[in-house]
Short mmCIF file of all heavy atoms in Angstrom, two decimals:
data_model
loop_
_atom_site.label_atom_id
_atom_site.label_comp_id
_atom_site.label_asym_id
_atom_site.label_seq_id
_atom_site.Cartn_x
_atom_site.Cartn_y
_atom_site.Cartn_z
N MET A 1 106.34 103.66 109.13
CA MET A 1 104.91 103.83 109.28
C MET A 1 104.20 102.52 109.40
O MET A 1 104.55 101.54 108.67
CB MET A 1 104.37 104.68 108.01
CG MET A 1 103.08 105.24 108.24
SD MET A 1 101.66 104.21 108.01
CE MET A 1 101.73 103.90 106.16
N LYS A 2 103.24 102.50 110.25
CA LYS A 2 102.42 101.15 110.37
C LYS A 2 101.03 101.45 110.76
O LYS A 2 100.79 102.49 111.48
CB LYS A 2 103.18 100.34 111.35
CG LYS A 2 102.52 99.27 112.07
CD LYS A 2 103.53 98.48 112.96
CE LYS A 2 103.45 98.98 114.35
NZ LYS A 2 103.93 98.00 115.31
N ILE A 3 100.12 100.68 110.33
CA ILE A 3 98.63 100.88 110.68
C ILE A 3 98.20 99.64 111.36
O ILE A 3 98.36 98.46 110.84
CB ILE A 3 97.76 101.07 109.42
CG1 ILE A 3 98.17 102.44 108.75
CG2 ILE A 3 96.28 101.11 109.61
CD1 ILE A 3 97.80 102.61 107.35
N THR A 4 97.64 99.88 112.59
CA THR A 4 97.15 98.67 113.33
C THR A 4 95.66 98.95 113.67
O THR A 4 95.13 100.05 113.57
CB THR A 4 97.94 98.46 114.58
OG1 THR A 4 97.89 99.69 115.26
CG2 THR A 4 99.33 98.02 114.34
N LEU A 5 94.96 97.94 114.03
CA LEU A 5 93.62 97.88 114.47
C LEU A 5 93.65 98.49 115.96
O LEU A 5 94.58 98.27 116.67
CB LEU A 5 92.95 96.60 114.55
CG LEU A 5 92.39 96.06 113.20
CD1 LEU A 5 91.77 94.64 113.54
CD2 LEU A 5 91.32 96.89 112.65
N ASN A 6 92.59 99.22 116.40
CA ASN A 6 92.43 99.68 117.75
C ASN A 6 92.56 98.48 118.70
O ASN A 6 91.94 97.39 118.38
CB ASN A 6 91.04 100.24 117.91
CG ASN A 6 90.88 100.94 119.30
OD1 ASN A 6 91.44 100.54 120.23
ND2 ASN A 6 90.10 101.97 119.28
N PRO A 7 93.44 98.45 119.66
CA PRO A 7 93.57 97.32 120.63
C PRO A 7 92.27 97.08 121.35
O PRO A 7 92.14 95.93 121.96
CB PRO A 7 94.67 97.68 121.52
CG PRO A 7 94.86 99.18 121.31
CD PRO A 7 94.32 99.58 120.10
N ASP A 8 91.34 97.92 121.36
CA ASP A 8 90.00 97.68 122.18
C ASP A 8 89.08 96.94 121.26
O ASP A 8 88.57 97.42 120.26
CB ASP A 8 89.43 99.07 122.50
CG ASP A 8 88.09 98.97 123.27
OD1 ASP A 8 87.40 97.86 123.17
OD2 ASP A 8 87.87 99.77 124.09
N ALA A 9 88.93 95.58 121.48
CA ALA A 9 88.18 94.69 120.62
C ALA A 9 86.75 95.10 120.54
O ALA A 9 86.17 94.82 119.47
CB ALA A 9 88.40 93.22 121.14
N GLU A 10 86.25 95.69 121.52
CA GLU A 10 84.81 96.13 121.46
C GLU A 10 84.68 97.29 120.49
O GLU A 10 83.67 97.21 119.75
CB GLU A 10 84.44 96.57 122.97
CG GLU A 10 82.94 96.83 123.13
CD GLU A 10 82.05 95.81 122.88
OE1 GLU A 10 82.49 94.61 122.67
OE2 GLU A 10 80.78 95.89 122.84
N ILE A 11 85.47 98.13 120.50
CA ILE A 11 85.42 99.25 119.51
C ILE A 11 85.49 98.70 118.10
O ILE A 11 84.72 99.01 117.15
CB ILE A 11 86.50 100.38 119.73
CG1 ILE A 11 86.08 101.02 120.98
CG2 ILE A 11 86.56 101.42 118.61
CD1 ILE A 11 87.09 102.19 121.45
N VAL A 12 86.50 97.83 117.85
CA VAL A 12 86.65 97.15 116.60
C VAL A 12 85.39 96.38 116.13
O VAL A 12 84.91 96.50 114.93
CB VAL A 12 87.88 96.22 116.56
CG1 VAL A 12 87.94 95.47 115.25
CG2 VAL A 12 89.12 96.99 116.80
N ARG A 13 84.76 95.79 117.09
CA ARG A 13 83.57 94.97 116.77
C ARG A 13 82.37 95.97 116.35
O ARG A 13 81.77 95.61 115.27
CB ARG A 13 83.16 94.12 118.04
CG ARG A 13 82.04 93.22 117.77
CD ARG A 13 81.56 92.50 119.05
NE ARG A 13 80.99 93.50 120.05
CZ ARG A 13 79.71 93.98 120.00
NH1 ARG A 13 78.95 93.63 118.94
NH2 ARG A 13 79.23 94.78 120.81
N ILE A 14 82.25 96.97 117.11
CA ILE A 14 81.13 97.88 116.80
C ILE A 14 81.31 98.57 115.50
O ILE A 14 80.44 98.69 114.66
CB ILE A 14 81.12 98.97 117.97
CG1 ILE A 14 80.48 98.29 119.31
CG2 ILE A 14 80.11 100.14 117.62
CD1 ILE A 14 80.68 99.26 120.49
N VAL A 15 82.53 99.07 115.16
CA VAL A 15 82.81 99.71 113.93
C VAL A 15 82.57 98.81 112.81
O VAL A 15 81.99 99.13 111.78
CB VAL A 15 84.21 100.48 113.91
CG1 VAL A 15 84.51 101.11 112.57
CG2 VAL A 15 84.31 101.51 115.01
N LYS A 16 83.20 97.55 112.98
CA LYS A 16 83.02 96.55 111.87
C LYS A 16 81.53 96.17 111.58
O LYS A 16 81.21 96.03 110.39
CB LYS A 16 83.85 95.34 112.09
CG LYS A 16 85.27 95.67 111.86
CD LYS A 16 86.14 94.36 111.86
CE LYS A 16 87.54 94.68 111.29
NZ LYS A 16 88.44 93.60 111.39
N GLU A 17 80.81 96.08 112.64
CA GLU A 17 79.38 95.85 112.42
C GLU A 17 78.71 96.95 111.71
O GLU A 17 77.87 96.75 110.81
CB GLU A 17 78.66 95.78 113.81
CG GLU A 17 78.50 94.29 114.34
CD GLU A 17 77.81 94.25 115.76
OE1 GLU A 17 77.01 95.17 115.97
OE2 GLU A 17 78.16 93.33 116.40
N GLY A 18 79.12 98.22 112.15
CA GLY A 18 78.56 99.33 111.41
C GLY A 18 78.91 99.39 109.87
O GLY A 18 78.16 99.65 108.93
N LEU A 19 80.17 99.02 109.63
CA LEU A 19 80.66 98.89 108.23
C LEU A 19 79.84 97.89 107.38
O LEU A 19 79.47 97.99 106.26
CB LEU A 19 82.21 98.62 108.05
CG LEU A 19 83.07 99.76 108.38
CD1 LEU A 19 84.52 99.29 108.66
CD2 LEU A 19 83.00 100.78 107.30
N GLU A 20 79.55 96.74 108.07
CA GLU A 20 78.73 95.76 107.38
C GLU A 20 77.27 96.24 107.08
O GLU A 20 76.77 95.99 106.02
CB GLU A 20 78.55 94.48 108.24
CG GLU A 20 79.70 93.49 108.04
CD GLU A 20 79.70 92.38 109.04
OE1 GLU A 20 78.66 91.78 109.44
OE2 GLU A 20 80.85 92.01 109.49
N LYS A 21 76.73 96.98 108.10
CA LYS A 21 75.44 97.58 107.76
C LYS A 21 75.39 98.54 106.69
O LYS A 21 74.38 98.69 105.97
CB LYS A 21 74.89 98.18 109.14
CG LYS A 21 74.37 97.16 110.06
CD LYS A 21 73.63 97.86 111.26
CE LYS A 21 73.38 96.90 112.39
NZ LYS A 21 73.87 97.47 113.65
N THR A 22 76.35 99.39 106.58
CA THR A 22 76.38 100.52 105.60
C THR A 22 76.92 99.96 104.23
O THR A 22 77.03 100.70 103.30
CB THR A 22 77.27 101.63 106.02
OG1 THR A 22 78.63 101.14 106.13
CG2 THR A 22 76.78 102.24 107.36
N GLY A 23 77.47 98.79 104.21
CA GLY A 23 78.02 98.18 102.94
C GLY A 23 79.45 98.84 102.69
O GLY A 23 79.84 99.12 101.46
N GLY A 24 80.02 99.18 103.74
CA GLY A 24 81.45 99.69 103.54
C GLY A 24 81.72 101.21 103.74
O GLY A 24 82.77 101.66 103.62
N TYR A 25 80.54 101.93 104.04
CA TYR A 25 80.68 103.28 104.15
C TYR A 25 80.97 103.62 105.56
O TYR A 25 80.44 102.85 106.50
CB TYR A 25 79.35 104.05 103.79
CG TYR A 25 79.17 104.19 102.25
CD1 TYR A 25 78.44 103.25 101.57
CD2 TYR A 25 79.88 105.13 101.46
CE1 TYR A 25 78.17 103.27 100.25
CE2 TYR A 25 79.60 105.18 100.11
CZ TYR A 25 78.83 104.28 99.47
OH TYR A 25 78.69 104.23 98.13
N CYS A 26 81.66 104.69 105.83
CA CYS A 26 82.08 105.04 107.30
C CYS A 26 80.84 105.11 108.15
O CYS A 26 79.89 105.86 107.93
CB CYS A 26 82.69 106.28 107.22
SG CYS A 26 83.47 106.70 108.92
N PRO A 27 80.71 104.24 109.22
CA PRO A 27 79.54 104.23 110.08
C PRO A 27 79.45 105.46 110.92
O PRO A 27 78.41 105.78 111.42
CB PRO A 27 79.78 102.97 110.86
CG PRO A 27 81.15 102.63 110.78
CD PRO A 27 81.77 103.25 109.55
N CYS A 28 80.50 106.19 111.06
CA CYS A 28 80.36 107.46 111.93
C CYS A 28 80.11 108.66 111.18
O CYS A 28 80.20 109.79 111.75
CB CYS A 28 81.63 107.55 112.84
SG CYS A 28 83.13 107.25 112.11
N ARG A 29 79.64 108.57 109.98
CA ARG A 29 79.22 109.66 109.18
C ARG A 29 77.95 109.43 108.52
O ARG A 29 77.55 108.31 108.15
CB ARG A 29 80.26 109.97 108.02
CG ARG A 29 81.61 110.52 108.51
CD ARG A 29 82.56 110.47 107.32
NE ARG A 29 83.74 111.20 107.59
CZ ARG A 29 84.88 110.67 107.73
NH1 ARG A 29 85.15 109.35 107.59
NH2 ARG A 29 85.97 111.33 107.96
N ARG A 30 77.12 110.45 108.45
CA ARG A 30 75.73 110.31 108.04
C ARG A 30 75.61 110.10 106.45
O ARG A 30 74.87 109.33 105.99
CB ARG A 30 74.90 111.41 108.40
CG ARG A 30 73.91 111.02 109.50
CD ARG A 30 72.96 112.08 109.73
NE ARG A 30 73.14 112.51 111.18
CZ ARG A 30 73.00 113.72 111.68
NH1 ARG A 30 72.71 114.72 110.92
NH2 ARG A 30 73.16 113.97 112.97
N GLU A 31 76.47 110.86 105.71
CA GLU A 31 76.31 110.84 104.33
C GLU A 31 77.04 109.54 103.71
O GLU A 31 78.04 109.13 104.23
CB GLU A 31 77.02 112.10 103.71
CG GLU A 31 76.21 113.28 103.95
CD GLU A 31 76.97 114.50 103.40
OE1 GLU A 31 77.82 115.00 104.17
OE2 GLU A 31 76.57 114.99 102.43
N ARG A 32 76.48 109.11 102.63
CA ARG A 32 77.04 107.98 101.94
C ARG A 32 77.75 108.44 100.70
O ARG A 32 77.09 108.46 99.53
CB ARG A 32 75.96 106.96 101.54
CG ARG A 32 75.17 106.54 102.68
CD ARG A 32 76.05 105.42 103.55
NE ARG A 32 75.39 104.93 104.82
CZ ARG A 32 75.83 105.37 105.85
NH1 ARG A 32 76.81 106.22 106.07
NH2 ARG A 32 75.18 104.95 107.12
N LYS A 33 78.96 108.85 100.78
CA LYS A 33 79.73 109.42 99.71
C LYS A 33 80.93 108.52 99.38
O LYS A 33 81.39 107.90 100.35
CB LYS A 33 80.26 110.93 100.01
CG LYS A 33 79.20 111.85 100.10
CD LYS A 33 80.07 113.17 100.34
CE LYS A 33 79.27 114.36 100.53
NZ LYS A 33 80.14 115.50 100.95
N GLU A 34 81.37 108.53 98.14
CA GLU A 34 82.46 107.82 97.74
C GLU A 34 83.71 108.00 98.65
O GLU A 34 84.44 107.10 98.99
CB GLU A 34 82.90 108.16 96.35
CG GLU A 34 83.53 106.95 95.55
CD GLU A 34 82.86 105.60 95.58
OE1 GLU A 34 81.54 105.49 95.64
OE2 GLU A 34 83.54 104.70 95.63
N GLU A 35 83.89 109.25 99.01
CA GLU A 35 85.07 109.60 99.86
C GLU A 35 84.97 109.02 101.30
O GLU A 35 86.00 109.01 102.00
CB GLU A 35 85.23 111.12 99.94
CG GLU A 35 84.12 111.87 100.73
CD GLU A 35 84.10 113.31 100.39
OE1 GLU A 35 83.52 113.79 99.43
OE2 GLU A 35 84.58 114.07 101.30
N TYR A 36 83.74 108.58 101.66
CA TYR A 36 83.56 108.01 103.00
C TYR A 36 83.66 106.49 103.04
O TYR A 36 83.31 105.87 103.95
CB TYR A 36 82.21 108.47 103.64
CG TYR A 36 82.22 109.85 103.85
CD1 TYR A 36 80.94 110.63 103.79
CD2 TYR A 36 83.41 110.74 104.06
CE1 TYR A 36 80.94 111.97 104.10
CE2 TYR A 36 83.33 112.12 104.32
CZ TYR A 36 82.09 112.67 104.34
OH TYR A 36 81.98 114.07 104.66
N LYS A 37 84.08 105.81 101.87
CA LYS A 37 84.22 104.39 101.77
C LYS A 37 85.40 104.15 102.56
O LYS A 37 86.47 104.74 102.37
CB LYS A 37 84.15 103.92 100.46
CG LYS A 37 82.85 103.64 99.84
CD LYS A 37 82.91 102.49 98.91
CE LYS A 37 81.41 101.92 98.66
NZ LYS A 37 81.29 101.07 97.48
N CYS A 38 85.40 103.05 103.36
CA CYS A 38 86.52 102.71 104.21
C CYS A 38 87.66 101.97 103.35
O CYS A 38 87.28 101.14 102.60
CB CYS A 38 86.05 101.74 105.35
SG CYS A 38 87.26 101.41 106.62
N MET A 39 88.91 102.39 103.42
CA MET A 39 89.45 103.53 104.19
C MET A 39 89.13 104.81 103.52
O MET A 39 89.35 104.97 102.29
CB MET A 39 90.92 103.43 104.23
CG MET A 39 91.42 102.20 105.03
SD MET A 39 93.23 102.31 105.10
CE MET A 39 93.58 101.16 106.33
N CYS A 40 88.55 105.72 104.27
CA CYS A 40 87.99 106.96 103.78
C CYS A 40 89.21 107.90 103.27
O CYS A 40 90.37 107.66 103.71
CB CYS A 40 87.17 107.73 104.80
SG CYS A 40 88.10 107.98 106.31
N ASP A 41 88.83 108.85 102.54
CA ASP A 41 89.82 109.78 102.03
C ASP A 41 90.51 110.63 103.12
O ASP A 41 91.73 110.85 103.08
CB ASP A 41 89.22 110.84 101.07
CG ASP A 41 88.90 110.14 99.72
OD1 ASP A 41 89.11 109.00 99.45
OD2 ASP A 41 88.39 110.91 98.80
N GLU A 42 89.80 110.82 104.15
CA GLU A 42 90.39 111.58 105.31
C GLU A 42 91.56 110.75 105.90
O GLU A 42 92.61 111.29 106.19
CB GLU A 42 89.39 111.94 106.47
CG GLU A 42 89.90 112.53 107.61
CD GLU A 42 89.02 112.76 108.71
OE1 GLU A 42 88.45 111.73 109.25
OE2 GLU A 42 88.72 113.88 109.08
N PHE A 43 91.29 109.47 106.09
CA PHE A 43 92.34 108.60 106.76
C PHE A 43 93.53 108.39 105.75
O PHE A 43 94.66 108.36 106.19
CB PHE A 43 91.73 107.26 107.33
CG PHE A 43 92.70 106.54 108.16
CD1 PHE A 43 93.32 107.21 109.22
CD2 PHE A 43 92.95 105.20 107.95
CE1 PHE A 43 94.25 106.49 110.15
CE2 PHE A 43 93.88 104.48 108.75
CZ PHE A 43 94.46 105.17 109.87
N LYS A 44 93.14 108.27 104.47
CA LYS A 44 94.21 108.21 103.50
C LYS A 44 95.15 109.31 103.57
O LYS A 44 96.41 109.15 103.49
CB LYS A 44 93.74 107.90 102.14
CG LYS A 44 93.11 106.53 101.91
CD LYS A 44 92.66 106.44 100.44
CE LYS A 44 91.75 105.22 100.25
NZ LYS A 44 90.88 105.42 99.11
N ALA A 45 94.62 110.56 103.73
CA ALA A 45 95.39 111.75 103.76
C ALA A 45 96.23 111.73 104.99
O ALA A 45 97.32 112.17 105.00
CB ALA A 45 94.49 113.04 103.70
N GLN A 46 95.64 111.23 106.18
CA GLN A 46 96.36 111.21 107.44
C GLN A 46 97.51 110.20 107.26
O GLN A 46 98.54 110.41 107.82
CB GLN A 46 95.43 110.87 108.54
CG GLN A 46 94.52 112.00 108.86
CD GLN A 46 93.41 111.56 109.84
OE1 GLN A 46 92.93 110.41 109.77
NE2 GLN A 46 92.91 112.48 110.61
N ILE A 47 97.31 109.17 106.57
CA ILE A 47 98.36 108.12 106.32
C ILE A 47 99.57 108.80 105.52
O ILE A 47 100.69 108.60 105.88
CB ILE A 47 97.84 106.89 105.59
CG1 ILE A 47 96.91 106.12 106.48
CG2 ILE A 47 98.94 106.02 105.05
CD1 ILE A 47 96.11 105.06 105.73
N ASN A 48 99.13 109.69 104.60
CA ASN A 48 100.21 110.30 103.76
C ASN A 48 100.82 111.55 104.43
O ASN A 48 101.81 112.08 103.87
CB ASN A 48 99.60 110.69 102.38
CG ASN A 48 99.24 109.44 101.59
OD1 ASN A 48 100.02 108.48 101.63
ND2 ASN A 48 98.17 109.46 100.77
N ASP A 49 100.25 111.86 105.57
CA ASP A 49 100.81 113.11 106.27
C ASP A 49 101.92 112.52 107.20
O ASP A 49 101.64 111.90 108.22
CB ASP A 49 99.78 113.74 107.02
CG ASP A 49 100.16 114.99 107.90
OD1 ASP A 49 101.42 115.11 107.94
OD2 ASP A 49 99.38 115.61 108.53
N PRO A 50 103.21 112.90 106.94
CA PRO A 50 104.28 112.39 107.73
C PRO A 50 104.16 112.81 109.23
O PRO A 50 104.82 112.24 110.06
CB PRO A 50 105.60 112.93 107.09
CG PRO A 50 105.15 114.03 106.13
CD PRO A 50 103.71 113.73 105.89
N GLU A 51 103.47 113.91 109.50
CA GLU A 51 103.28 114.48 110.79
C GLU A 51 102.16 113.81 111.60
O GLU A 51 102.15 113.90 112.86
CB GLU A 51 103.08 115.94 110.85
CG GLU A 51 104.20 116.81 110.27
CD GLU A 51 105.59 116.45 110.99
OE1 GLU A 51 105.51 116.36 112.14
OE2 GLU A 51 106.57 116.24 110.22
N PHE A 52 101.35 113.11 110.94
CA PHE A 52 100.09 112.62 111.64
C PHE A 52 100.38 111.21 112.35
O PHE A 52 100.98 110.36 111.84
CB PHE A 52 98.90 112.37 110.70
CG PHE A 52 97.80 111.82 111.28
CD1 PHE A 52 96.84 112.61 112.02
CD2 PHE A 52 97.50 110.40 111.31
CE1 PHE A 52 95.74 112.09 112.71
CE2 PHE A 52 96.44 109.81 111.96
CZ PHE A 52 95.49 110.71 112.64
N GLU A 53 99.92 111.21 113.57
CA GLU A 53 99.98 109.91 114.33
C GLU A 53 98.60 109.91 115.08
O GLU A 53 98.27 110.87 115.69
CB GLU A 53 101.14 109.88 115.35
CG GLU A 53 100.94 108.81 116.42
CD GLU A 53 102.05 107.82 116.64
OE1 GLU A 53 103.11 107.98 115.95
OE2 GLU A 53 101.73 106.79 117.23
N GLY A 54 97.86 108.73 114.97
CA GLY A 54 96.61 108.70 115.79
C GLY A 54 95.60 107.84 115.03
O GLY A 54 95.88 107.14 114.14
N TYR A 55 94.41 107.97 115.65
CA TYR A 55 93.34 107.09 115.18
C TYR A 55 92.57 107.78 113.92
O TYR A 55 92.56 109.07 113.81
CB TYR A 55 92.30 106.98 116.23
CG TYR A 55 92.71 105.96 117.33
CD1 TYR A 55 93.02 106.50 118.63
CD2 TYR A 55 92.65 104.63 117.09
CE1 TYR A 55 93.36 105.62 119.61
CE2 TYR A 55 92.99 103.75 118.13
CZ TYR A 55 93.46 104.23 119.37
OH TYR A 55 93.78 103.31 120.33
N CYS A 56 91.93 106.89 113.19
CA CYS A 56 91.07 107.39 112.08
C CYS A 56 89.78 107.98 112.81
O CYS A 56 89.65 107.75 114.03
CB CYS A 56 90.71 106.32 111.16
SG CYS A 56 89.70 104.98 111.83
N HIS A 57 88.98 108.60 112.13
CA HIS A 57 87.76 109.21 112.68
C HIS A 57 86.93 108.31 113.51
O HIS A 57 86.50 108.64 114.61
CB HIS A 57 86.94 109.76 111.44
CG HIS A 57 85.82 110.63 111.83
ND1 HIS A 57 86.03 111.96 112.10
CD2 HIS A 57 84.52 110.44 111.99
CE1 HIS A 57 84.85 112.54 112.38
NE2 HIS A 57 83.91 111.60 112.31
N CYS A 58 86.78 107.08 113.10
CA CYS A 58 85.95 106.12 113.82
C CYS A 58 86.73 105.28 114.96
O CYS A 58 86.06 104.60 115.57
CB CYS A 58 85.49 105.01 112.88
SG CYS A 58 84.25 105.53 111.62
N MET A 59 88.03 105.50 114.90
CA MET A 59 88.88 104.88 115.90
C MET A 59 89.02 103.29 115.58
O MET A 59 89.36 102.56 116.44
CB MET A 59 88.40 105.15 117.41
CG MET A 59 88.60 106.48 117.68
SD MET A 59 88.16 106.83 119.35
CE MET A 59 89.57 106.13 120.25
N LEU A 60 88.82 102.96 114.33
CA LEU A 60 88.99 101.55 113.90
C LEU A 60 90.56 101.30 113.71
O LEU A 60 90.97 100.28 114.26
CB LEU A 60 88.32 101.20 112.69
CG LEU A 60 88.47 99.76 112.09
CD1 LEU A 60 88.01 98.76 113.13
CD2 LEU A 60 87.70 99.74 110.80
N TYR A 61 91.17 102.26 113.11
CA TYR A 61 92.64 102.14 112.78
C TYR A 61 93.47 103.05 113.54
O TYR A 61 92.92 104.20 113.84
CB TYR A 61 92.81 102.27 111.30
CG TYR A 61 92.22 101.31 110.38
CD1 TYR A 61 91.12 101.65 109.62
CD2 TYR A 61 92.60 99.94 110.43
CE1 TYR A 61 90.54 100.75 108.77
CE2 TYR A 61 91.98 99.06 109.65
CZ TYR A 61 91.01 99.38 108.74
OH TYR A 61 90.28 98.58 108.00
N TYR A 62 94.68 102.74 113.77
CA TYR A 62 95.60 103.65 114.34
C TYR A 62 96.90 103.71 113.49
O TYR A 62 97.41 102.68 113.04
CB TYR A 62 96.07 103.18 115.78
CG TYR A 62 96.89 104.23 116.47
CD1 TYR A 62 96.35 105.14 117.32
CD2 TYR A 62 98.34 104.22 116.31
CE1 TYR A 62 97.01 106.07 117.98
CE2 TYR A 62 99.08 105.20 117.04
CZ TYR A 62 98.44 106.09 117.82
OH TYR A 62 99.13 107.12 118.51
N LYS A 63 97.29 104.91 113.08
CA LYS A 63 98.50 105.08 112.32
C LYS A 63 99.63 105.46 113.24
O LYS A 63 99.57 106.44 113.97
CB LYS A 63 98.30 106.14 111.23
CG LYS A 63 99.50 106.34 110.39
CD LYS A 63 99.68 107.80 109.89
CE LYS A 63 101.09 108.03 109.40
NZ LYS A 63 101.27 109.29 109.03
N HIS A 64 100.69 104.73 113.13
CA HIS A 64 101.94 104.97 113.95
C HIS A 64 102.91 105.62 112.89
O HIS A 64 103.03 105.11 111.79
CB HIS A 64 102.54 103.68 114.33
CG HIS A 64 101.54 102.82 115.21
ND1 HIS A 64 101.66 102.67 116.45
CD2 HIS A 64 100.64 101.99 114.71
CE1 HIS A 64 100.69 101.79 116.84
NE2 HIS A 64 100.10 101.43 115.75
N LYS A 65 103.45 106.72 113.24
CA LYS A 65 104.34 107.45 112.40
C LYS A 65 105.58 106.66 112.02
O LYS A 65 106.01 106.61 111.00
CB LYS A 65 104.88 108.72 113.13
CG LYS A 65 103.94 109.96 112.84
CD LYS A 65 104.82 111.20 112.98
CE LYS A 65 104.92 111.57 114.51
NZ LYS A 65 105.40 112.93 114.74
N ASP A 66 106.16 105.89 113.08
CA ASP A 66 107.43 105.13 112.76
C ASP A 66 107.19 103.71 112.99
O ASP A 66 106.18 103.30 113.66
CB ASP A 66 108.48 105.59 113.73
CG ASP A 66 108.52 106.99 114.13
OD1 ASP A 66 108.83 107.86 113.31
OD2 ASP A 66 108.18 107.27 115.27
S1 SF4 B 101 87.16 106.80 109.69
FE1 SF4 B 101 88.21 104.89 109.88
S2 SF4 B 101 86.57 103.37 109.94
FE2 SF4 B 101 85.60 105.27 109.21
S3 SF4 B 101 85.85 105.00 106.91
FE3 SF4 B 101 87.68 106.20 107.72
S4 SF4 B 101 89.19 104.55 107.93
FE4 SF4 B 101 87.21 103.50 107.83
#
């Protein structure tokens, strides 16, 4: 298992800017809840799911199964 940044530098830049503005809360969600702090609970669950491969909700990170 491995986690990498999106190879699209423009997406990474936009999401990181968003994270700076929100103080670390997921920029693609409206609510400011603890579970939405990056890395959010949703992506952590996807990391722990052996079947999941793909991007996090904001497409900042990509989880590779192998
Ligand atoms: S969706 Fe991605 S960028 Fe957004 S909080 Fe979760 S891990 Fe971070």
